[in-house]
Short mmCIF file of all heavy atoms in Angstrom, two decimals:
data_model
loop_
_atom_site.label_atom_id
_atom_site.label_comp_id
_atom_site.label_asym_id
_atom_site.label_seq_id
_atom_site.Cartn_x
_atom_site.Cartn_y
_atom_site.Cartn_z
N MET A 1 -20.03 -7.61 131.14
CA MET A 1 -20.83 -6.91 131.98
C MET A 1 -21.92 -7.58 132.67
O MET A 1 -22.57 -8.31 131.97
CB MET A 1 -21.44 -5.66 131.12
CG MET A 1 -22.41 -4.78 131.97
SD MET A 1 -23.03 -3.43 131.08
CE MET A 1 -24.31 -4.07 130.18
N ILE A 2 -22.08 -7.46 133.89
CA ILE A 2 -23.12 -8.14 134.65
C ILE A 2 -23.97 -7.08 135.28
O ILE A 2 -23.56 -6.17 135.82
CB ILE A 2 -22.64 -9.10 135.67
CG1 ILE A 2 -21.80 -10.25 134.96
CG2 ILE A 2 -23.68 -9.79 136.45
CD1 ILE A 2 -21.22 -11.29 135.84
N ALA A 3 -25.33 -7.18 135.05
CA ALA A 3 -26.22 -6.34 135.66
C ALA A 3 -27.41 -7.10 136.43
O ALA A 3 -27.56 -8.27 135.97
CB ALA A 3 -26.86 -5.41 134.53
N SER A 4 -27.92 -6.44 137.29
CA SER A 4 -29.09 -7.06 137.98
C SER A 4 -30.45 -6.26 137.84
O SER A 4 -30.28 -5.03 137.59
CB SER A 4 -28.76 -7.35 139.46
OG SER A 4 -28.56 -6.17 140.00
N SER A 5 -31.45 -6.93 137.97
CA SER A 5 -32.72 -6.16 137.92
C SER A 5 -33.46 -6.24 139.32
O SER A 5 -32.95 -6.98 140.22
CB SER A 5 -33.65 -6.76 136.79
OG SER A 5 -34.06 -8.02 137.17
N GLU A 6 -34.60 -5.65 139.38
CA GLU A 6 -35.41 -5.75 140.60
C GLU A 6 -35.80 -7.15 141.09
O GLU A 6 -35.86 -7.38 142.28
CB GLU A 6 -36.73 -5.10 140.47
CG GLU A 6 -36.65 -3.61 140.20
CD GLU A 6 -37.88 -2.79 140.06
OE1 GLU A 6 -38.94 -3.40 140.34
OE2 GLU A 6 -37.81 -1.62 139.61
N ASN A 7 -35.92 -8.03 140.24
CA ASN A 7 -36.34 -9.43 140.55
C ASN A 7 -35.08 -10.44 140.67
O ASN A 7 -35.26 -11.61 140.61
CB ASN A 7 -37.28 -10.08 139.42
CG ASN A 7 -38.54 -9.30 139.21
OD1 ASN A 7 -38.98 -8.82 140.31
ND2 ASN A 7 -39.01 -9.21 138.13
N CYS A 8 -33.89 -9.93 140.96
CA CYS A 8 -32.69 -10.60 141.19
C CYS A 8 -32.17 -11.50 139.99
O CYS A 8 -31.47 -12.51 140.12
CB CYS A 8 -32.87 -11.58 142.31
SG CYS A 8 -33.14 -10.51 143.86
N TRP A 9 -32.59 -11.06 138.79
CA TRP A 9 -32.06 -11.69 137.64
C TRP A 9 -30.64 -11.25 137.28
O TRP A 9 -30.44 -10.06 137.64
CB TRP A 9 -33.01 -11.50 136.39
CG TRP A 9 -34.23 -12.27 136.38
CD1 TRP A 9 -35.39 -11.86 137.12
CD2 TRP A 9 -34.60 -13.44 135.69
NE1 TRP A 9 -36.40 -12.73 136.77
CE2 TRP A 9 -35.92 -13.74 135.86
CE3 TRP A 9 -33.78 -14.21 134.81
CZ2 TRP A 9 -36.48 -14.79 135.37
CZ3 TRP A 9 -34.38 -15.18 134.31
CH2 TRP A 9 -35.62 -15.61 134.53
N ARG A 10 -29.90 -11.81 136.62
CA ARG A 10 -28.60 -11.45 136.26
C ARG A 10 -28.40 -11.54 134.73
O ARG A 10 -28.94 -12.45 134.06
CB ARG A 10 -27.50 -12.32 136.84
CG ARG A 10 -27.48 -12.20 138.38
CD ARG A 10 -27.09 -10.88 138.97
NE ARG A 10 -27.06 -10.94 140.36
CZ ARG A 10 -28.00 -10.46 141.15
NH1 ARG A 10 -29.06 -10.02 140.71
NH2 ARG A 10 -27.72 -10.51 142.42
N PHE A 11 -27.88 -10.50 134.26
CA PHE A 11 -27.57 -10.51 132.71
C PHE A 11 -26.21 -10.37 132.36
O PHE A 11 -25.51 -9.66 133.01
CB PHE A 11 -28.37 -9.16 132.02
CG PHE A 11 -29.84 -9.30 132.35
CD1 PHE A 11 -30.33 -8.57 133.49
CD2 PHE A 11 -30.76 -9.93 131.54
CE1 PHE A 11 -31.69 -8.55 133.81
CE2 PHE A 11 -32.05 -9.97 131.84
CZ PHE A 11 -32.53 -9.20 132.90
N PHE A 12 -25.70 -11.13 131.51
CA PHE A 12 -24.23 -11.11 131.06
C PHE A 12 -24.18 -10.83 129.62
O PHE A 12 -24.90 -11.51 128.85
CB PHE A 12 -23.62 -12.42 131.38
CG PHE A 12 -22.18 -12.50 130.98
CD1 PHE A 12 -21.23 -11.94 131.70
CD2 PHE A 12 -21.89 -13.26 129.79
CE1 PHE A 12 -19.87 -12.00 131.18
CE2 PHE A 12 -20.60 -13.38 129.35
CZ PHE A 12 -19.61 -12.69 130.04
N PHE A 13 -23.35 -9.83 129.19
CA PHE A 13 -23.10 -9.47 127.80
C PHE A 13 -21.57 -9.71 127.51
O PHE A 13 -20.77 -9.12 128.23
CB PHE A 13 -23.67 -8.09 127.46
CG PHE A 13 -25.09 -7.83 127.83
CD1 PHE A 13 -25.43 -7.39 129.03
CD2 PHE A 13 -26.00 -8.18 126.86
CE1 PHE A 13 -26.85 -7.27 129.29
CE2 PHE A 13 -27.38 -8.02 127.04
CZ PHE A 13 -27.63 -7.57 128.14
N ALA A 14 -21.40 -10.29 126.44
CA ALA A 14 -19.97 -10.36 125.87
C ALA A 14 -19.99 -9.73 124.52
O ALA A 14 -20.56 -10.26 123.65
CB ALA A 14 -19.58 -11.85 125.92
N CYS A 15 -19.20 -8.61 124.40
CA CYS A 15 -19.15 -8.03 123.14
C CYS A 15 -17.61 -7.91 122.64
O CYS A 15 -16.81 -7.29 123.31
CB CYS A 15 -19.69 -6.53 123.19
SG CYS A 15 -21.38 -6.58 123.83
N ASP A 16 -17.31 -8.45 121.50
CA ASP A 16 -16.12 -8.32 120.92
C ASP A 16 -16.13 -9.00 119.48
O ASP A 16 -17.28 -9.19 119.03
CB ASP A 16 -15.06 -9.12 121.68
CG ASP A 16 -13.60 -8.64 121.47
OD1 ASP A 16 -13.31 -8.36 120.36
OD2 ASP A 16 -12.86 -8.61 122.44
N ILE A 17 -15.10 -9.32 118.95
CA ILE A 17 -15.14 -10.08 117.70
C ILE A 17 -15.84 -11.50 118.10
O ILE A 17 -15.62 -12.00 119.21
CB ILE A 17 -13.67 -10.40 117.20
CG1 ILE A 17 -13.15 -9.17 116.92
CG2 ILE A 17 -13.66 -11.38 116.03
CD1 ILE A 17 -11.57 -9.15 116.55
N GLU A 18 -16.69 -12.00 117.28
CA GLU A 18 -17.45 -13.13 117.42
C GLU A 18 -16.72 -14.36 118.33
O GLU A 18 -17.14 -14.86 119.26
CB GLU A 18 -18.19 -13.76 116.29
CG GLU A 18 -19.07 -14.87 116.51
CD GLU A 18 -19.76 -15.29 115.29
OE1 GLU A 18 -19.47 -14.89 114.23
OE2 GLU A 18 -20.50 -16.41 115.41
N LYS A 19 -15.62 -14.67 117.82
CA LYS A 19 -14.80 -15.75 118.27
C LYS A 19 -14.47 -15.55 119.80
O LYS A 19 -14.45 -16.35 120.61
CB LYS A 19 -13.56 -16.10 117.51
CG LYS A 19 -13.00 -17.48 117.59
CD LYS A 19 -11.96 -17.71 116.53
CE LYS A 19 -11.75 -19.16 116.36
NZ LYS A 19 -10.81 -19.48 115.18
N LYS A 20 -13.99 -14.29 120.00
CA LYS A 20 -13.50 -13.91 121.52
C LYS A 20 -14.70 -13.82 122.30
O LYS A 20 -14.57 -14.30 123.50
CB LYS A 20 -12.80 -12.56 121.26
CG LYS A 20 -11.38 -12.66 120.72
CD LYS A 20 -10.81 -11.07 120.78
CE LYS A 20 -9.39 -11.11 120.31
NZ LYS A 20 -8.94 -9.63 120.43
N ALA A 21 -15.78 -13.30 121.82
CA ALA A 21 -16.90 -13.15 122.82
C ALA A 21 -17.48 -14.50 123.07
O ALA A 21 -17.91 -14.75 124.23
CB ALA A 21 -18.03 -12.35 122.02
N ALA A 22 -17.62 -15.53 122.03
CA ALA A 22 -17.94 -16.80 122.44
C ALA A 22 -17.13 -17.53 123.24
O ALA A 22 -17.71 -18.24 124.18
CB ALA A 22 -18.16 -17.66 121.00
N LYS A 23 -15.85 -17.37 123.18
CA LYS A 23 -14.84 -17.95 124.07
C LYS A 23 -15.08 -17.40 125.50
O LYS A 23 -15.22 -18.22 126.59
CB LYS A 23 -13.46 -17.76 123.65
CG LYS A 23 -12.47 -18.57 124.54
CD LYS A 23 -11.11 -18.35 124.00
CE LYS A 23 -10.09 -19.29 124.93
NZ LYS A 23 -8.83 -19.27 124.25
N LEU A 24 -15.21 -16.15 125.71
CA LEU A 24 -15.48 -15.55 127.00
C LEU A 24 -16.80 -16.11 127.64
O LEU A 24 -16.79 -16.36 128.76
CB LEU A 24 -15.45 -14.01 126.86
CG LEU A 24 -15.77 -13.31 128.13
CD1 LEU A 24 -14.73 -13.52 129.25
CD2 LEU A 24 -16.02 -11.73 127.92
N ALA A 25 -17.79 -16.05 126.88
CA ALA A 25 -19.17 -16.54 127.38
C ALA A 25 -19.10 -17.89 127.72
O ALA A 25 -19.63 -18.31 128.77
CB ALA A 25 -20.22 -16.23 126.32
N GLY A 26 -18.33 -18.81 127.06
CA GLY A 26 -18.17 -20.25 127.46
C GLY A 26 -17.51 -20.33 128.78
O GLY A 26 -17.89 -21.20 129.54
N VAL A 27 -16.41 -19.59 128.97
CA VAL A 27 -15.65 -19.69 130.29
C VAL A 27 -16.51 -19.18 131.28
O VAL A 27 -16.55 -19.82 132.45
CB VAL A 27 -14.41 -18.73 130.07
CG1 VAL A 27 -13.66 -18.66 131.49
CG2 VAL A 27 -13.34 -19.40 129.06
N VAL A 28 -17.25 -18.05 131.10
CA VAL A 28 -18.11 -17.63 132.18
C VAL A 28 -19.12 -18.62 132.61
O VAL A 28 -19.36 -18.92 133.81
CB VAL A 28 -18.72 -16.29 131.88
CG1 VAL A 28 -19.75 -15.82 132.75
CG2 VAL A 28 -17.63 -15.19 131.76
N ARG A 29 -19.80 -19.12 131.54
CA ARG A 29 -20.81 -20.21 131.80
C ARG A 29 -20.28 -21.44 132.48
O ARG A 29 -21.01 -21.88 133.50
CB ARG A 29 -21.34 -20.72 130.44
CG ARG A 29 -22.49 -21.69 130.49
CD ARG A 29 -23.00 -22.10 129.21
NE ARG A 29 -21.92 -22.85 128.48
CZ ARG A 29 -21.47 -22.39 127.25
NH1 ARG A 29 -21.99 -21.39 126.62
NH2 ARG A 29 -20.43 -22.96 126.62
N THR A 30 -19.01 -21.83 132.18
CA THR A 30 -18.53 -22.98 132.96
C THR A 30 -18.25 -22.69 134.31
O THR A 30 -18.54 -23.47 135.27
CB THR A 30 -17.33 -23.48 132.04
OG1 THR A 30 -17.70 -23.91 130.73
CG2 THR A 30 -16.66 -24.69 132.82
N ARG A 31 -17.62 -21.43 134.54
CA ARG A 31 -17.12 -21.09 135.88
C ARG A 31 -18.36 -20.86 136.89
O ARG A 31 -18.39 -21.27 137.98
CB ARG A 31 -16.26 -19.97 135.78
CG ARG A 31 -14.82 -20.37 135.35
CD ARG A 31 -13.83 -19.19 135.71
NE ARG A 31 -12.72 -19.63 135.11
CZ ARG A 31 -11.65 -18.78 134.86
NH1 ARG A 31 -11.78 -17.54 135.14
NH2 ARG A 31 -10.52 -19.09 134.36
N LEU A 32 -19.42 -20.28 136.22
CA LEU A 32 -20.58 -20.07 137.04
C LEU A 32 -21.23 -21.39 137.42
O LEU A 32 -21.77 -21.72 138.50
CB LEU A 32 -21.68 -19.13 136.38
CG LEU A 32 -21.36 -17.67 136.29
CD1 LEU A 32 -22.28 -16.96 135.37
CD2 LEU A 32 -21.37 -17.17 137.65
N GLY A 33 -21.31 -22.29 136.48
CA GLY A 33 -21.90 -23.67 136.62
C GLY A 33 -21.06 -24.33 137.79
O GLY A 33 -21.77 -25.05 138.68
N GLN A 34 -19.70 -24.25 137.83
CA GLN A 34 -18.97 -24.94 138.89
C GLN A 34 -19.19 -24.26 140.12
O GLN A 34 -19.43 -24.91 141.12
CB GLN A 34 -17.51 -24.81 138.46
CG GLN A 34 -17.17 -25.71 137.18
CD GLN A 34 -15.68 -25.39 136.77
OE1 GLN A 34 -15.11 -24.34 137.10
NE2 GLN A 34 -15.17 -26.30 135.99
N LYS A 35 -19.22 -22.92 140.17
CA LYS A 35 -19.31 -22.24 141.42
C LYS A 35 -20.73 -22.49 142.08
O LYS A 35 -20.80 -22.53 143.29
CB LYS A 35 -19.15 -20.63 141.18
CG LYS A 35 -19.13 -19.98 142.50
CD LYS A 35 -18.72 -18.44 142.20
CE LYS A 35 -18.76 -17.65 143.57
NZ LYS A 35 -18.20 -16.34 143.34
N LEU A 36 -21.79 -22.50 141.23
CA LEU A 36 -23.06 -22.68 141.75
C LEU A 36 -23.54 -24.15 141.93
O LEU A 36 -24.64 -24.54 142.27
CB LEU A 36 -24.07 -22.11 140.73
CG LEU A 36 -23.95 -20.65 140.65
CD1 LEU A 36 -24.86 -20.04 139.60
CD2 LEU A 36 -24.26 -19.81 142.02
N GLY A 37 -22.62 -25.06 141.61
CA GLY A 37 -22.82 -26.57 141.80
C GLY A 37 -23.89 -27.06 140.80
O GLY A 37 -24.55 -28.00 141.09
N LEU A 38 -23.92 -26.49 139.65
CA LEU A 38 -24.90 -26.97 138.63
C LEU A 38 -24.28 -28.08 137.64
O LEU A 38 -25.01 -28.63 136.82
CB LEU A 38 -25.32 -25.78 137.76
CG LEU A 38 -25.96 -24.68 138.58
CD1 LEU A 38 -26.37 -23.46 137.71
CD2 LEU A 38 -27.22 -25.15 139.18
N LEU A 39 -22.97 -28.33 137.69
CA LEU A 39 -22.45 -29.19 136.82
C LEU A 39 -22.14 -30.64 137.50
O LEU A 39 -21.84 -30.63 138.63
CB LEU A 39 -20.94 -28.73 136.32
CG LEU A 39 -20.91 -27.44 135.62
CD1 LEU A 39 -19.55 -26.96 135.25
CD2 LEU A 39 -21.85 -27.46 134.34
N THR A 40 -22.46 -31.70 136.75
CA THR A 40 -22.19 -32.88 137.34
C THR A 40 -20.94 -33.56 136.61
O THR A 40 -20.78 -33.51 135.41
CB THR A 40 -23.34 -33.98 136.90
OG1 THR A 40 -24.66 -33.35 137.28
CG2 THR A 40 -23.16 -35.35 137.47
N LYS A 41 -19.99 -33.96 137.51
CA LYS A 41 -18.79 -34.34 136.99
C LYS A 41 -18.77 -35.68 136.16
O LYS A 41 -19.68 -36.54 136.45
CB LYS A 41 -17.81 -34.61 138.23
CG LYS A 41 -16.36 -34.80 137.93
CD LYS A 41 -15.50 -34.84 139.14
CE LYS A 41 -14.06 -34.89 138.67
NZ LYS A 41 -13.07 -34.89 139.74
N ASP A 42 -17.97 -35.73 135.17
CA ASP A 42 -17.92 -36.97 134.15
C ASP A 42 -19.25 -37.30 133.51
O ASP A 42 -19.54 -38.40 133.28
CB ASP A 42 -17.45 -38.21 134.98
CG ASP A 42 -16.02 -37.97 135.60
OD1 ASP A 42 -15.22 -37.35 134.95
OD2 ASP A 42 -15.83 -38.48 136.74
N VAL A 43 -20.08 -36.20 133.27
CA VAL A 43 -21.30 -36.33 132.59
C VAL A 43 -21.37 -35.38 131.36
O VAL A 43 -21.06 -34.28 131.58
CB VAL A 43 -22.55 -36.26 133.45
CG1 VAL A 43 -23.84 -36.19 132.70
CG2 VAL A 43 -22.63 -37.20 134.61
N PHE A 44 -21.70 -35.94 130.19
CA PHE A 44 -21.88 -35.10 129.11
C PHE A 44 -23.28 -35.17 128.65
O PHE A 44 -23.82 -36.07 128.33
CB PHE A 44 -21.04 -35.58 127.92
CG PHE A 44 -21.26 -34.70 126.67
CD1 PHE A 44 -20.53 -33.41 126.48
CD2 PHE A 44 -21.86 -35.15 125.57
CE1 PHE A 44 -20.81 -32.62 125.43
CE2 PHE A 44 -22.04 -34.38 124.41
CZ PHE A 44 -21.51 -33.11 124.41
N GLU A 45 -23.97 -33.91 128.72
CA GLU A 45 -25.34 -33.88 128.35
C GLU A 45 -25.53 -32.73 127.20
O GLU A 45 -24.86 -31.74 127.38
CB GLU A 45 -26.32 -33.64 129.49
CG GLU A 45 -26.34 -34.69 130.55
CD GLU A 45 -27.10 -34.38 131.73
OE1 GLU A 45 -27.10 -33.23 132.24
OE2 GLU A 45 -27.69 -35.37 132.27
N PHE A 46 -26.45 -32.92 126.25
CA PHE A 46 -26.67 -31.80 125.33
C PHE A 46 -28.10 -31.65 125.08
O PHE A 46 -28.97 -32.55 125.35
CB PHE A 46 -25.95 -32.20 123.99
CG PHE A 46 -26.33 -33.34 123.34
CD1 PHE A 46 -27.33 -33.24 122.33
CD2 PHE A 46 -25.91 -34.54 123.56
CE1 PHE A 46 -27.72 -34.36 121.68
CE2 PHE A 46 -26.20 -35.73 122.99
CZ PHE A 46 -27.17 -35.57 121.91
N CYS A 47 -28.46 -30.59 124.46
CA CYS A 47 -29.86 -30.19 124.06
C CYS A 47 -29.95 -30.08 122.58
O CYS A 47 -29.21 -29.31 122.01
CB CYS A 47 -30.31 -29.09 124.84
SG CYS A 47 -31.87 -28.50 124.48
N TRP A 48 -30.88 -30.74 121.88
CA TRP A 48 -31.02 -30.61 120.44
C TRP A 48 -32.20 -29.72 120.30
O TRP A 48 -33.39 -30.10 120.53
CB TRP A 48 -31.18 -31.98 119.87
CG TRP A 48 -31.21 -31.98 118.37
CD1 TRP A 48 -32.14 -31.52 117.48
CD2 TRP A 48 -30.07 -32.53 117.61
NE1 TRP A 48 -31.70 -31.69 116.27
CE2 TRP A 48 -30.38 -32.28 116.22
CE3 TRP A 48 -28.78 -32.99 117.91
CZ2 TRP A 48 -29.63 -32.69 115.22
CZ3 TRP A 48 -28.00 -33.33 116.80
CH2 TRP A 48 -28.42 -33.11 115.57
N ILE A 49 -32.01 -28.54 119.81
CA ILE A 49 -33.08 -27.64 119.57
C ILE A 49 -33.55 -27.74 118.14
O ILE A 49 -32.79 -27.53 117.13
CB ILE A 49 -32.68 -26.19 119.85
CG1 ILE A 49 -32.26 -26.13 121.34
CG2 ILE A 49 -33.89 -25.22 119.57
CD1 ILE A 49 -31.69 -24.85 121.76
N VAL A 50 -34.82 -27.88 117.87
CA VAL A 50 -35.36 -28.10 116.52
C VAL A 50 -36.43 -27.09 116.13
O VAL A 50 -36.84 -27.01 115.04
CB VAL A 50 -36.09 -29.49 116.36
CG1 VAL A 50 -34.97 -30.61 116.56
CG2 VAL A 50 -37.14 -29.78 117.35
N ASP A 51 -36.69 -26.26 117.04
CA ASP A 51 -37.79 -25.11 116.84
C ASP A 51 -37.30 -23.81 117.31
O ASP A 51 -37.12 -23.60 118.45
CB ASP A 51 -39.08 -25.60 117.54
CG ASP A 51 -40.19 -24.59 117.10
OD1 ASP A 51 -40.01 -23.83 116.35
OD2 ASP A 51 -41.30 -24.64 117.85
N PHE A 52 -36.94 -22.93 116.19
CA PHE A 52 -36.48 -21.75 116.58
C PHE A 52 -37.60 -20.59 116.24
O PHE A 52 -37.34 -19.60 115.87
CB PHE A 52 -35.25 -21.34 115.73
CG PHE A 52 -34.11 -22.21 116.03
CD1 PHE A 52 -33.78 -23.34 115.40
CD2 PHE A 52 -33.22 -21.80 116.98
CE1 PHE A 52 -32.71 -24.14 115.69
CE2 PHE A 52 -32.17 -22.59 117.29
CZ PHE A 52 -31.83 -23.76 116.60
N SER A 53 -38.82 -20.91 116.66
CA SER A 53 -39.94 -20.10 116.35
C SER A 53 -39.87 -18.59 116.85
O SER A 53 -40.42 -17.74 116.28
CB SER A 53 -41.24 -20.71 116.80
OG SER A 53 -41.17 -20.88 118.25
N MET A 54 -39.11 -18.34 117.97
CA MET A 54 -39.04 -17.10 118.53
C MET A 54 -38.18 -16.16 117.61
O MET A 54 -38.32 -14.91 117.78
CB MET A 54 -38.52 -17.03 119.93
CG MET A 54 -37.00 -17.32 120.05
SD MET A 54 -36.54 -17.37 121.83
CE MET A 54 -35.53 -15.93 121.93
N TYR A 55 -37.49 -16.73 116.67
CA TYR A 55 -36.69 -15.98 115.81
C TYR A 55 -37.29 -15.78 114.32
O TYR A 55 -36.77 -15.19 113.56
CB TYR A 55 -35.23 -16.57 115.60
CG TYR A 55 -34.50 -16.67 116.87
CD1 TYR A 55 -34.21 -17.84 117.53
CD2 TYR A 55 -34.00 -15.47 117.44
CE1 TYR A 55 -33.54 -17.86 118.71
CE2 TYR A 55 -33.20 -15.49 118.60
CZ TYR A 55 -32.98 -16.71 119.05
OH TYR A 55 -32.34 -16.74 120.37
N GLU A 56 -38.46 -16.40 114.21
CA GLU A 56 -39.14 -16.41 112.92
C GLU A 56 -40.03 -14.92 112.86
O GLU A 56 -40.54 -14.59 113.93
CB GLU A 56 -40.07 -17.46 112.80
CG GLU A 56 -39.39 -18.85 112.51
CD GLU A 56 -40.41 -19.95 112.39
OE1 GLU A 56 -41.64 -19.67 112.53
OE2 GLU A 56 -39.88 -21.11 112.26
N SER A 57 -40.07 -14.53 111.63
CA SER A 57 -40.89 -13.34 111.45
C SER A 57 -42.36 -13.66 111.52
O SER A 57 -42.69 -14.75 111.01
CB SER A 57 -40.46 -12.52 110.30
OG SER A 57 -40.90 -13.23 109.10
N PRO A 58 -43.23 -12.80 111.95
CA PRO A 58 -44.73 -13.11 111.90
C PRO A 58 -45.22 -13.45 110.40
O PRO A 58 -46.08 -14.18 110.18
CB PRO A 58 -45.40 -11.86 112.32
CG PRO A 58 -44.33 -11.10 113.08
CD PRO A 58 -43.02 -11.45 112.40
N ILE A 59 -44.55 -12.89 109.43
CA ILE A 59 -44.91 -13.25 107.90
C ILE A 59 -44.66 -14.72 107.74
O ILE A 59 -45.43 -15.42 107.19
CB ILE A 59 -44.13 -12.31 107.05
CG1 ILE A 59 -44.58 -10.84 107.18
CG2 ILE A 59 -44.45 -12.74 105.55
CD1 ILE A 59 -43.75 -9.85 106.44
N CYS A 60 -43.46 -15.26 108.03
CA CYS A 60 -43.03 -16.63 107.76
C CYS A 60 -44.04 -17.49 108.60
O CYS A 60 -44.53 -18.53 108.08
CB CYS A 60 -41.64 -16.92 108.24
SG CYS A 60 -40.44 -16.07 107.16
N THR A 61 -44.32 -17.13 109.85
CA THR A 61 -45.15 -18.06 110.64
C THR A 61 -46.55 -18.10 110.10
O THR A 61 -47.12 -19.23 110.03
CB THR A 61 -45.17 -17.49 112.07
OG1 THR A 61 -43.82 -17.21 112.49
CG2 THR A 61 -46.01 -18.38 113.00
N SER A 62 -47.05 -16.98 109.69
CA SER A 62 -48.46 -16.92 109.14
C SER A 62 -48.57 -17.68 107.80
O SER A 62 -49.57 -18.43 107.54
CB SER A 62 -49.01 -15.58 109.00
OG SER A 62 -48.22 -14.82 108.06
N ILE A 63 -47.58 -17.67 107.00
CA ILE A 63 -47.54 -18.41 105.74
C ILE A 63 -47.40 -19.91 106.02
O ILE A 63 -48.23 -20.68 105.38
CB ILE A 63 -46.23 -18.05 104.86
CG1 ILE A 63 -46.44 -16.59 104.40
CG2 ILE A 63 -46.06 -18.94 103.67
CD1 ILE A 63 -45.34 -16.03 103.65
N ARG A 64 -46.70 -20.38 107.00
CA ARG A 64 -46.64 -21.84 107.33
C ARG A 64 -47.95 -22.34 107.91
O ARG A 64 -48.21 -23.50 107.72
CB ARG A 64 -45.51 -21.99 108.38
CG ARG A 64 -44.35 -22.67 107.74
CD ARG A 64 -43.39 -23.03 108.86
NE ARG A 64 -41.98 -22.58 108.37
CZ ARG A 64 -41.12 -22.32 109.12
NH1 ARG A 64 -41.11 -22.38 110.47
NH2 ARG A 64 -39.96 -21.95 108.53
N SER A 65 -48.64 -21.52 108.62
CA SER A 65 -49.81 -21.98 109.26
C SER A 65 -50.98 -22.16 108.26
O SER A 65 -52.08 -22.66 108.69
CB SER A 65 -50.18 -21.12 110.45
OG SER A 65 -50.52 -19.84 109.99
N ARG A 66 -50.89 -21.70 107.07
CA ARG A 66 -52.09 -21.76 106.16
C ARG A 66 -52.23 -23.16 105.61
O ARG A 66 -51.40 -24.04 105.45
CB ARG A 66 -51.79 -20.79 105.01
CG ARG A 66 -51.91 -19.44 105.41
CD ARG A 66 -51.80 -18.50 104.18
NE ARG A 66 -51.80 -17.17 104.74
CZ ARG A 66 -51.58 -16.12 103.98
NH1 ARG A 66 -51.33 -16.24 102.61
NH2 ARG A 66 -51.46 -14.88 104.55
#
């Protein structure tokens, strides 16, 4: 499902068994990247995320900061 908001944002939701939803989201992400010219041919780049603080509960965060 794709929806838009007042600020021209687009939201995409894939709901199914986890494996099917992940595959669909990957195909959509790749096709959108190709269509919008966001992919560089013959280049592999990745992002290593080491801080997931937005998923931490406030209790865990406050304990760590002491």
